[in-house]
């Protein structure tokens, strides 16, 4: 009985102490000088980050250091993982978690798998009655799994960072899904503070989502990628790309949605 009690106390102490130890490690990583070679990578691959205010640039670099210390990168189909790959992806992923009083750095994420280019996946198609149909092969540039993995095309990652105003950024898209999946399956409603905020979020998001679906049905052009009309989860990810890369048109055409995303992401890209 004594042994069981001691083991129980040790287990409780471990659970209590683990967050403290994790934060202690993160403070250490954030306090380290940012490597000059990594700074050169940011300048080459993610040049639009230089538009951020100095305090956000410093914060972003600290987040990159923690992210790279905690997440594993795996090269697929012959891709060799280099610091250029790691830093380029981490910088764009960490853009989504700035200005948070406390961030857990995508707590469910364990691995980032990177292919040289677009990759093929087999998906089971479910028809309108819910019956599973044959596998369908899809060519993707990115995918986010709730089991702790993000899969990215390196070619699309580079192109997304190089063109900062086209609202196409696969890293922002997939890591928005990761934030969405912190509450379970992706449904377009990430972790928000309280029921009132969820009600407001739901109305604003669905109004814009419904409008995009109608525009897609009529074949009309929209500020948002028509892929966002697939479902609310994809709309949130597409809206996040637009928020960071085309904030001016979004603030003008969808002011309520822009304001809501400013609150969620805790930044105002218009001010950059």
């Amino acid at each position: 009985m004594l042994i069981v009690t001691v083991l129980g106390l040790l287990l409780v102490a471990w659970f209590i102490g683990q967050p403290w130890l994790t934060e202690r490690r993160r403070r250490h990583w954030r306090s380290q000088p940012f490597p000059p070679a990594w700074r050169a990578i940011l300048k080459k691959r993610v040049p639009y980050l230089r538009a951020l205010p100095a305090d956000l640039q410093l914060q972003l670099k600290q987040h990159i250091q923690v992210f790279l210390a905690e997440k594993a990168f795996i090269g697929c189909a012959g891709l060799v993982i280099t610091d250029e790959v790691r830093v380029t992806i981490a910088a764009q992923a960490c853009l989504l978690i700035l200005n948070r009083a406390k961030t857990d750095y995508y707590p469910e994420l364990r691995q980032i798998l990177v292919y040289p280019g677009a990759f093929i996946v087999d998906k089971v198609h479910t028809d309108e009655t819910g019956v599973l149909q044959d596998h369908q092969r899809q060519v993707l540039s990115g995918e986010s799994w709730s089991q702790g993995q993000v899969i990215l095309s390196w070619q699309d990652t580079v192109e997304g960072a190089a063109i900062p105003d086209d609202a196409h950024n696969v890293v922002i898209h997939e890591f928005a899904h990761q934030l969405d999946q912190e509450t379970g399956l992706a449904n377009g409603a990430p972790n928000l503070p309280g029921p009132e905020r969820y009600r407001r979020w739901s109305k604003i998001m669905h109004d814009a989502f419904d409008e995009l679906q109608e525009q897609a049905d009529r074949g009309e052009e929209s500020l948002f990628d028509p892929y966002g009309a697939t479902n609310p989860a994809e709309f949130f990810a597409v809206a996040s790309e637009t928020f960071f890369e085309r904030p001016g048109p979004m603030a003008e055409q969808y002011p309520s949605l822009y304001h809501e995303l400013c609150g969620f992401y805790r930044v105002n890209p218009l001010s950059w």
Side-chain angles (χ1 to χ4, degrees), residues 1 10 24 37 46 79 84 95 97 143 161 176 180 189 210 253:
M1 185 67 181
L10 288 173
R24 183 181 178 184
V46 203
L79 181 79
E84 184 173 17
L95 189 64
I97 55 173
E143 194 167 36
D180 194 357
D210 291 344
Q253 297 179 38

Side-chain angles (χ1 to χ4, degrees), residues 129-164:
T129 65
V131 177
L132 296 179
Q133 302 294 330
D134 294 335
H135 284 73
Q136 291 184 338
R137 306 199 82 186
Q138 295 184 359
V139 179
L140 302 177
S141 61
E143 194 167 36
S144 174
W145 293 358
S146 57
Q147 297 92 338
Q149 294 175 316
V150 165
I151 310 172
L152 297 168
S153 154
W154 173 238
Q155 178 182 346
D156 289 278
T157 295
V158 169
E159 291 175 356
I163 308 173

Side-chain angles (χ1 to χ4, degrees), residues 31-77:
S31 69
Q32 299 305 299
F34 196 76
W38 292 8
R39 191 175 294 113
I41 293 168
L42 292 181
K43 184 177 181 180
K44 173 186 176 184
R45 289 298 188 191
V46 203
Y48 70 85
L49 295 182
R50 285 176 287 177
L52 270 64
D55 62 322
L56 290 187
Q57 289 191 38
L58 175 60
Q59 188 184 147
L60 183 70
K61 290 172 182 175
Q62 292 173 339
H63 283 348
I64 291 170
Q65 289 171 290
V66 175
F67 188 95
L68 294 182
E70 293 187 346
K71 310 303 181 185
F73 284 74
I74 299 173
C76 304

Side-chain angles (χ1 to χ4, degrees), residues 21 44 125 180 205:
L21 290 173
K44 173 186 176 184
H125 171 64
D180 194 357
M205 282 287 175

Side-chain angles (χ1 to χ4, degrees), residues 97-174:
I97 55 173
L98 291 171
N99 280 342
R100 294 170 184 257
K102 184 179 184 302
T103 178
D104 213 10
Y105 296 95
Y106 303 100
E108 303 303 319
L109 178 65
R110 296 177 290 103
Q111 300 173 330
I112 299 97
L113 284 66
V114 190
Y115 282 83
F119 50 92
I120 298 174
V121 297
D122 288 325
K123 287 183 176 280
V124 177
H125 171 64
T126 305
D127 66 19
E128 295 178 354
T129 65
V131 177
L132 296 179
Q133 302 294 330
D134 294 335
H135 284 73
Q136 291 184 338
R137 306 199 82 186
Q138 295 184 359
V139 179
L140 302 177
S141 61
E143 194 167 36
S144 174
W145 293 358
S146 57
Q147 297 92 338
Q149 294 175 316
V150 165
I151 310 172
L152 297 168
S153 154
W154 173 238
Q155 178 182 346
D156 289 278
T157 295
V158 169
E159 291 175 356
I163 308 173
D165 58 357
D166 64 351
H168 292 293
N169 185 300
V170 67
V171 178
I172 290 176
H173 186 105
E174 301 308 334

